[in-house]
């Protein structure tokens, strides 16, 4: 599912790092080796059909590589 993040991500928290990132090997293979962390936050997003909504989003990020693999965890009403 393609999503577009509009504006800044608020309430950013680290929910896993180091060995706690279960898909670490996949991330190293696809994006390169790095200190991967799993993050979460709340942002306004545009869904593929054009709907705007607030949602909790999760992603992975590493220094020098950036933010990858965004997904919507839940829509906030």
């Amino acid at each position: 599912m393609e999503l577009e993040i509009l504006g800044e991500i608020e309430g950013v928290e680290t929910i896993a790092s180091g060995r706690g990132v279960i898909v670490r090997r996949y991330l190293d293979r696809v994006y390169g080796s790095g200190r991967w962390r799993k993050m979460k936050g709340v942002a306004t997003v545009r869904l593929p059909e054009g709907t705007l909504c607030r949602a909790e989003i999760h992603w992975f990020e590493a220094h020098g590589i950036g933010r990858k693999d965004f997904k919507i965890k839940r829509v906030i009403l």
Side-chain angles (χ1 to χ4, degrees):
M1 177 163 77
E2 288 289 322
L3 64 100
E4 180 182 356
I5 298 171
L6 306 173
E8 293 190 20
I9 302 171
E10 301 169 358
V12 175
E13 295 179 38
T14 302
I15 55 177
S17 63
R19 292 181 152 198
V21 180
I22 296 171
V23 296
R24 189 176 65 243
R25 286 187 178 179
Y26 162 78
L27 296 168
D28 285 345
R29 188 177 64 241
V30 173
Y31 301 113
S33 183
R35 185 174 171 221
W36 288 101
R37 296 179 293 168
K38 186 171 184 178
M39 311 292 287
K40 75 174 185 178
V42 176
T44 302
V45 297
R46 184 187 322 262
L47 301 177
E49 67 271 11
T51 306
L52 295 178
C53 63
R54 301 265 306 157
E56 180 181 325
I57 55 175
H58 288 196
W59 70 94
F60 298 97
E61 71 177 38
H63 181 77
I65 298 173
R67 296 174 171 174
K68 303 291 182 186
D69 292 353
F70 284 91
K71 74 174 181 182
I72 294 176
K73 196 64 175 181
R74 65 185 176 104
V75 174
I76 300 171
L77 300 176

